[in-house]
Amino acid sequence: MRRFYVRKRSDQFYLVREDMLSEAMLKTVEAKRLLESEEVNTINEAVHAVELSRSAFYKYKDGIFPFHTMVKEKIITMTIHLQDQSGSLSRLLSMIAQTGANVLTINQTIPLQGKATITLTIETAAMTYDVTGLLDQMEKLDAVQKVEIVGSGA
């Protein structure tokens, strides 16, 4: 008997018809809309208005977006774990610049135990790579230990 294993990836996206989504996912989208439009002021108010548990909201809030917002996404914030080596940050930033991305903000922790954490916000509108390609290129750098997207917006 052949077994299939599903590998979960945070950088893989799917386009799914609305009627295929769970009720909790749809309510999460609506709660996020209420918050963004300022019809409600708090997450508690939003989840109460759509009759959704806070735990379900937090489970799905960073993973489900209306299609039109994904098309407009132009700013990405990521964290990068970088080995403390001379020139490693410079090489990382040069590689990002070569993709056409524009660095908007950069914050670096003081290196501890040979590793620094970088929080980087980039504008992707002029990129020649897609976001997955950019992450792949970043992770290929010797000094980069881990890259995670922590947020995105227009």
Side-chain angles (χ1 to χ4, degrees):
M1 171 182 228
R2 186 173 177 173
R3 293 182 184 205
F4 292 93
Y5 295 96
V6 177
R7 189 176 100 175
K8 293 182 180 181
R9 293 175 42 181
S10 62
D11 63 344
Q12 188 70 38
F13 295 94
Y14 299 93
L15 183 60
V16 179
R17 209 175 56 232
E18 182 179 26
D19 62 343
M20 301 301 292
L21 298 174
S22 71
E23 184 177 353
M25 290 176 178
L26 292 170
K27 287 181 176 184
T28 300
V29 171
E30 180 59 14
K32 288 173 59 173
R33 188 196 65 75
L34 291 172
L35 288 162
E36 289 173 4
S37 67
E38 299 182 353
E39 292 177 48
V40 296
N41 296 318
T42 66
I43 291 171
N44 275 339
E45 290 176 89
V47 297
H48 181 72
V50 298
E51 299 180 332
L52 178 70
S53 70
R54 282 174 52 93
S55 62
F57 177 81
Y58 282 109
K59 178 179 181 179
Y60 295 117
K61 75 175 182 68
D62 294 327
I64 187 163
F65 308 93
F67 180 73
H68 66 88
T69 61
M70 292 305 290
V71 173
K72 291 191 252 179
E73 302 284 11
K74 292 190 174 120
I75 297 173
I76 295 175
T77 301
M78 60 187 81
T79 58
I80 303 151
H81 298 284
L82 193 65
Q83 291 176 1
D84 184 25
Q85 298 172 353
S86 179
S88 60
L89 180 58
S90 176
R91 286 188 295 279
L92 174 69
L93 294 174
S94 292
M95 188 277 307
I96 290 170
Q98 289 173 1
T99 69
N102 181 35
V103 175
L104 300 175
T105 65
I106 183 168
N107 296 301
Q108 178 180 340
T109 62
I110 295 172
L112 297 173
Q113 299 176 351
K115 182 173 67 173
T117 301
I118 313 288
T119 302
L120 188 66
T121 301
I122 61 170
E123 183 179 24
T124 63
M127 267 186 13
T128 55
Y129 283 65
D130 64 9
V131 174
T132 302
L134 172 65
L135 297 177
D136 289 344
Q137 289 300 312
M138 292 170 76
E139 289 178 339
K140 286 180 183 175
L141 294 173
D142 289 337
V144 174
Q145 294 179 332
K146 184 178 182 182
V147 179
E148 290 181 292
I149 293 180
V150 294
S152 60

